[in-house]
């Protein structure tokens, strides 16, 4: 990622679905997300069934879909890092709860180790790029015409006040409409089981 690229432009490119910018963002923030997961994954029994890479990929999938929909108001790299770390903590907590529920508790699993986990490259493979593109297309397909218009205007870099003056209504009401749509679609697609920050 070009270090000289202004942060606002980086976020705008991510919203527009720029694959190169998205890959660069992954390369830059992946280790921080995985570190946030590993720090909180202190139970070695859970470490055998939960992998920081899986949580990281889930965080990034949710982030890119929601960013493309214009949900986040991010002004600095520190805000982005904080958001990604918070998402990682929530996703990990959710996975731990699932693992411990319904007799799936990792304490009941014997054996296994690092050899059970597939090591994934941090580079985005062609199949991952196709999958991400298909996911975004499915998200866009599930949006109403009004919701798609909000996404397009956010993708152009417009602030909520500008969108409100263009479409009518209040900036907060429009932001909430898109936020509810994003949450609805994320739930339908199984991307989130909680509301991201």
């Amino acid at each position: 990622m070009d270090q000289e690229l202004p942060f606002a432009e980086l976020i705008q490119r991510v919203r527009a679905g720029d694959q190169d910018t998205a890959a660069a963002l992954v390369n830059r923030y992946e280790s921080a997300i995985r570190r946030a997961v590993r720090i909180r994954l202190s139970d070695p029994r859970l470490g055998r069934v939960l992998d920081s890479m899986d949580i990281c990929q889930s965080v990034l999938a949710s982030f890119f879909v929601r960013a493309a929909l214009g949900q986040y108001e991010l002004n600095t790299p520190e805000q982005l890092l904080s958001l990604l770390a918070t998402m990682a903590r929530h996703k990990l907590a959710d996975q731990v709860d699932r693992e411990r529920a319904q007799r799936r508790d990792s304490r009941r699993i014997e054996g296994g180790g690092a050899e059970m986990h597939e090591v994934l490259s941090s580079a985005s493979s062609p199949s991952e790029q196709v999958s991400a593109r298909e996911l975004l297309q499915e998200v866009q397909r599930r949006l109403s015409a009004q919701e798609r218009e909000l996404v397009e205007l956010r993708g152009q870099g417009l602030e909520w006040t500008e969108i409100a003056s263009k479409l009518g209504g209040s900036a907060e009401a429009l932001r909430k409409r898109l936020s509810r749509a994003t949450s609805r679609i994320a739930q339908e697609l199984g991307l989130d089981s909680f509301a991201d920050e």
Side-chain angles (χ1 to χ4, degrees):
M1 182 171 4
D2 182 3
Q3 297 294 335
E4 301 303 315
L5 186 66
F7 187 75
E9 186 177 338
L10 175 130
I11 294 300
Q12 188 172 352
R13 286 184 183 185
V14 167
R15 282 185 185 146
D18 182 319
Q19 293 293 319
D20 293 335
T21 303
L25 189 136
V26 168
N27 287 334
R28 184 173 189 182
Y29 290 100
E30 178 188 40
S31 63
I33 298 168
R34 292 185 69 189
R35 188 171 31 258
V37 171
R38 285 192 304 267
I39 287 170
R40 284 162 184 79
L41 193 57
S42 56
D43 185 342
R45 293 172 293 200
L46 286 172
R48 288 193 299 248
V49 292
L50 296 177
D51 183 46
S52 64
M53 179 57 85
D54 294 334
I55 303 291
C56 180
Q57 288 177 345
S58 178
V59 166
L60 290 168
S62 292
F63 170 76
F64 286 125
V65 167
R66 289 173 176 268
L69 293 174
Q71 181 173 355
Y72 300 123
E73 295 287 338
L74 300 168
N75 299 312
T76 67
E78 292 78 18
Q79 286 178 327
L80 174 58
L81 186 57
S82 177
L83 172 69
L84 294 173
T86 299
M87 290 173 72
R89 286 192 303 272
H90 287 220
K91 294 237 185 231
L92 177 61
D94 186 51
Q95 288 297 319
V96 168
D97 289 346
R98 279 191 200 152
E99 192 58 41
R100 289 186 173 159
Q102 301 175 354
R103 304 172 78 111
R104 292 171 58 189
D105 193 335
S106 64
R107 292 173 284 194
R108 299 170 49 94
I109 299 173
E110 293 188 28
E115 67 275 2
M116 292 179 61
H117 296 287
E118 180 180 338
V119 178
L120 299 174
S121 166
S122 63
S124 181
S125 71
S127 64
E128 289 172 326
Q129 290 176 7
V130 168
S131 178
R133 194 173 306 114
E134 288 173 351
L135 177 62
L136 187 54
Q137 288 171 346
E138 180 61 22
V139 167
Q140 291 171 340
R141 186 187 69 75
R142 291 174 185 240
L143 292 170
S144 70
Q146 295 88 4
E147 293 164 348
R148 269 193 299 279
E149 186 175 18
L150 290 174
V151 169
E152 288 171 15
L153 293 171
R154 287 291 290 161
Q156 294 171 11
L158 296 178
E159 296 295 325
W160 286 110
T161 53
E162 297 170 303
I163 294 171
S165 67
K166 191 172 209 141
L167 299 180
S170 77
E172 185 64 14
L174 293 172
R175 187 193 64 76
K176 284 182 180 180
R177 180 185 301 163
L178 185 57
S179 179
R180 283 191 295 270
T182 302
S183 295
R184 179 191 79 232
I185 293 168
Q187 185 176 16
E188 289 172 2
L189 296 175
L191 295 174
D192 292 322
S193 57
F194 60 88
D196 289 330
E197 301 299 309

